[in-house]
Amino acid sequence: MPNHEVSPCQLVIFGASGDLTKRKLIPSLYDLFIGKMLPEHFAVLGVSRTPMSDDQFRDHLLESARKFIHGLDEAKWREFAQMIYYHPGDSVLPEAFEGIRKRMAEVSQLRKTGDNCLLYLSMSPNLYEPTIVNIGNAGIVTEGKSWCSINRASRPWQRIIIEKPFGNDTESAAHLNRVLGRVFEEESIYRIDHYLGKETVQNLLVFRFANAIFEPIWNRTYIDHVQVTAAETVGVEGRGGYYDSPSGGAMRDMVQSHLLQVMAVVAMEPPVALEADGIRLEKSKIFRAARPIKAADVPLMAIRGQYGPGQMDGKPLPGYRQEPGVDPNSQTETYAALQLYVDTWRWGGVPFYLRSGKRMAKKLTEIVITFKHTPHALFREQTLKKVNGLTPNQIVINVQPNEGIRLRFEGKVPGVGMNIKSVVMDFDYVKQFNAEPPEAYATLLLDAIKGDQTLFKHRDEVEGAWRSVQGVIDYWKENDDEPLPTYASGTWGPSESDIMMDRNGRHWRNPT
Ligand SMILES: NC(=O)c1ccc[n+]([C@@H]2O[C@H](COP(=O)([O-])OP(=O)(O)OC[C@H]3O[C@@H](n4cnc5c(N)ncnc54)[C@H](OP(=O)(O)O)[C@@H]3O)[C@@H](O)[C@H]2O)c1
């Protein structure tokens, strides 16, 4: 990624007493602190309604740090915690911002962070709009305002990071973009998708565009189809109330956001230069080219499902409708699979299959590129699998866990005679580089501090992604009384999804 510098700044987290702050944001900042990657002058100001002093907030964070930070060094933590402050405030109330601004100024003085600030909305999405409007009215944002006469290079910056979900459908996403656009310049808006912060997703850009051997075959001539799977073994984990809402479900929670982003990185054209605008423009074009699924095709090309009771490792598990906080007649999908086409010269006729589910057989996120068969089945008799001669070549990109890339091809079994078997060439991230991939949030927070938007979504991408699946969402809503396919917990999803693949003579890669 391009080199951007870190500059002094203050990170203001709205929603600081919540789960994301203690589980991801603070542990990631601690890692950056330990790695000496934070600016010398840096501070975190947490804002939420719960009354707490700075010290109480630090104690609250330490408690979870002991749980979430592997190898926590408490002496270092105490040093790190000195840069963390807290201000109780309700960001929905305009009058709260007088206090918030005052506290920001105090913290800035104490830590010499100057006027640069990164605002992080880590709260329920229904609070985004009033909080953004209040930030705007409080005069916190000077960037891009005509009355701010300081020269562009030396003026302070204000950036905002917005968590997912970004909107609930195409219309609400466009509305939120308009609300943001009235306060912030597009260059200051960081729409986060933590999948883009994952090392292997970034490595995909390197894999494709830094190697001469892959790009010539990365097209419809050689590739039969692409699969993107994000499977979780967990269920709703006590958050049934949140998941079982009109804005919940696998399609909105996973497919529309993360999986379409991954698909865009697989499918995009090489950017002109390695810079945020170029990369995001190429991704946007993929969303523009993604063929919307027509209502008549939804039953064939979009599958939803819900987990029923089952078991994992011999342990019985409840079905989704038996989970606390879930409506016993819920029609929310815990599994969604799509067959999409990207109508471009490169991808004409190549299906992209995306699927995500909870309580699946295995926890994994992977991209599978399956190549076409050889034009002539020379070894038909020698192969152990006789379907069309040989097993097609595959590139499997493991996003998590065991980050790495595997190339599967056919090899001769040693010994007399000509027997053929699939073999695997393996690149294991940890073994190769002797390093664990960083937490995605650490990568993304550092990029936002540096002002690098490459791994954040542009407004066109967000709206384009919603448009690609809006037809399916509408169809499912209109046909909400149809019985939902179910799958036993601990399996690979509903059989309807396998039938969708079978219809085209393909099958999901379900690793054991
Ligand atoms: N948790 C995760 O692992 C995760 C992962 C990916 C994305 N996200 C996204 O991150 C965001 C936050 O999720 P979360 O899990 O941290 O939610 P959460 O645990 O419910 O936390 C929400 C926070 O908002 C604060 N809050 C509520 N009303 C407020 C108001 N009027 N003014 C100021 N603060 C207010 C709450 O604290 P008070 O009650 O003290 O005000 C709390 O600190 C959501 O958009 C979620 O979709 C979360």
Side-chain angles (χ1 to χ4, degrees):
M1 297 294 144
N3 242 340
H4 293 257
E5 298 291 321
V6 292
S7 45
C9 67
Q10 179 173 167
L11 168 66
V12 183
I13 304 176
F14 291 94
S17 64
D19 184 67
L20 184 71
T21 304
K22 63 180 185 201
R23 186 191 291 272
K24 295 288 181 191
L25 304 186
I26 293 296
S28 298
L29 289 167
Y30 171 82
D31 283 350
L32 292 174
F33 171 77
I34 295 292
K36 299 191 176 10
M37 286 179 269
L38 289 176
E40 187 189 345
H41 297 289
F42 183 73
V44 178
L45 175 62
V47 178
S48 43
R49 294 165 309 172
T50 308
M52 274 189 279
S53 65
D54 291 340
D55 281 337
Q56 284 169 326
F57 184 50
R58 290 167 187 161
D59 289 347
H60 154 84
L61 294 177
L62 174 58
E63 211 175 292
S64 10
R66 289 188 178 126
K67 193 164 144 202
F68 296 121
I69 301 178
H70 182 66
L72 175 74
D73 176 335
E74 297 219 5
K76 293 261 186 227
W77 169 270
R78 279 190 291 279
E79 216 182 302
F80 167 67
Q82 288 313 303
M83 59 175 79
I84 302 178
Y85 301 83
Y86 183 78
H87 177 80
D90 185 333
S91 65
V92 166
L93 303 176
E95 58 272 24
F97 275 78
E98 204 187 315
I100 294 172
R101 279 206 70 173
K102 211 165 138 225
R103 198 72 215 285
M104 284 172 70
E106 273 170 30
V107 169
S108 158
Q109 283 248 313
L110 284 168
R111 304 286 314 177
K112 298 188 176 53
T113 58
D115 292 331
N116 294 336
C117 66
L118 179 59
L119 311 164
Y120 198 123
L121 299 196
S122 173
M123 51 191 358
S124 168
N126 62 321
L127 305 178
Y128 293 165
E129 180 169 353
T131 303
I132 295 162
V133 170
N134 288 339
I135 289 170
N137 290 339
I140 291 172
V141 182
T142 54
E143 213 175 4
K145 305 290 175 256
S146 54
W147 44 267
C148 176
S149 56
I150 309 169
N151 119 5
R152 193 181 170 89
S154 61
R155 72 187 185 187
W157 51 257
Q158 302 86 33
R159 299 176 187 141
I160 186 162
I161 302 184
I162 321 272
E163 258 303 331
K164 73 162 215 186
F166 194 98
N168 195 16
D169 55 17
T170 313
E171 183 41 48
S172 56
H175 175 74
L176 184 54
N177 275 328
R178 284 193 294 274
V179 170
L180 275 165
R182 281 184 215 116
V183 180
F184 294 91
E185 302 275 291
E186 180 61 31
E187 65 183 40
S188 306
I189 303 170
Y190 290 70
R191 299 172 192 83
I192 205 161
D193 185 321
H194 69 270
Y195 265 59
L196 292 179
K198 290 186 186 291
E199 202 71 13
T200 349
V201 175
Q202 293 170 65
N203 198 17
L204 188 51
L205 289 173
V206 179
F207 183 76
R208 287 191 55 196
F209 303 133
N211 295 298
I213 56 173
F214 300 116
E215 204 45 28
I217 54 169
W218 209 262
N219 55 49
R220 69 183 183 289
T221 312
Y222 297 98
I223 292 180
D224 177 73
H225 74 281
V226 177
Q227 296 180 20
V228 183
T229 294
E232 297 176 276
T233 48
V234 295
V236 284
E237 299 298 283
R239 291 170 76 90
Y242 160 76
Y243 195 81
D244 198 43
S245 68
S247 53
M251 175 62 106
R252 287 184 166 92
D253 192 42
M254 293 296 295
V255 178
Q256 181 279 332
S257 49
H258 307 313
L259 298 200
L260 280 177
Q261 276 293 323
V262 172
M263 182 188 92
V265 179
V266 173
M268 66 187 266
E269 291 300 316
V272 173
L274 195 61
E275 53 194 24
D277 284 352
I279 292 174
R280 299 189 325 159
L281 175 67
E282 294 306 334
K283 276 168 46 214
S284 298
K285 288 186 196 166
I286 295 302
F287 297 119
R288 207 182 310 161
R291 189 190 308 164
I293 301 177
K294 292 196 211 99
D297 293 332
V298 171
L300 299 174
M301 294 170 71
I303 305 297
R304 55 181 165 162
Q306 198 180 63
Y307 65 81
Q311 57 163 306
M312 209 170 282
D313 303 327
K315 205 177 121 209
L317 295 166
Y320 178 68
R321 292 181 182 184
Q322 288 85 53
E323 297 275 15
V326 172
D327 176 353
N329 299 312
S330 171
Q331 285 288 89
T332 303
E333 79 285 354
T334 60
Y335 175 97
L338 288 184
Q339 178 183 336
L340 283 179
Y341 289 91
V342 175
D343 288 333
T344 61
W345 201 268
R346 184 191 285 264
W347 294 113
V350 177
F352 285 76
Y353 296 99
L354 315 183
R355 68 171 166 169
S356 178
K358 288 191 177 291
R359 283 269 192 257
M360 305 267 283
K362 198 172 170 165
K363 176 180 164 59
L364 69 91
T365 302
E366 66 175 25
I367 305 159
V368 184
I369 316 286
T370 301
F371 289 86
K372 291 189 169 165
H373 286 283
T374 51
H376 172 47
L378 196 58
F379 292 100
R380 187 187 300 272
E381 296 309 317
Q382 286 78 13
T383 180
L384 303 176
K385 288 191 181 166
K386 298 284 192 298
V387 187
N388 288 336
L390 303 168
T391 311
N393 298 147
Q394 269 184 346
I395 294 175
V396 179
I397 299 160
N398 284 72
V399 178
Q400 67 183 20
N402 311 327
E403 291 82 351
I405 298 175
R406 286 167 183 79
L407 171 62
R408 191 180 77 185
F409 57 96
E410 300 296 271
K412 179 186 173 299
V413 179
V416 284
M418 179 64 89
N419 286 319
I420 291 180
K421 202 175 166 222
S422 293
V423 292
V424 171
M425 224 155 80
D426 211 346
F427 155 66
D428 183 305
Y429 187 100
V430 176
K431 277 192 212 146
Q432 187 74 34
F433 292 117
N434 199 19
E436 287 291 336
E439 163 60 48
Y441 274 95
T443 303
L444 295 170
L445 277 165
L446 188 61
D447 281 357
I449 291 169
K450 289 176 172 176
D452 183 351
Q453 289 185 299
T454 309
L455 302 177
F456 295 85
K457 301 191 269 195
H458 188 275
R459 71 179 291 171
D460 295 346
E461 290 178 66
V462 174
E463 292 175 32
W466 275 115
R467 266 195 302 276
S468 318
V469 297
Q470 191 64 52
V472 177
I473 291 175
D474 292 344
Y475 181 93
W476 285 354
K477 193 170 170 207
E478 282 155 25
N479 296 277
D480 208 25
D481 47 353
E482 276 180 10
L484 214 52
T486 55
Y487 58 100
S489 287
T491 64
W492 281 105
S495 54
E496 285 79 353
S497 180
D498 298 321
I499 295 168
M500 175 178 82
M501 296 293 268
D502 279 352
R503 209 177 286 125
N504 300 312
R506 301 186 175 101
H507 56 271
W508 291 110
R509 197 187 102 91
N510 292 337
T512 46

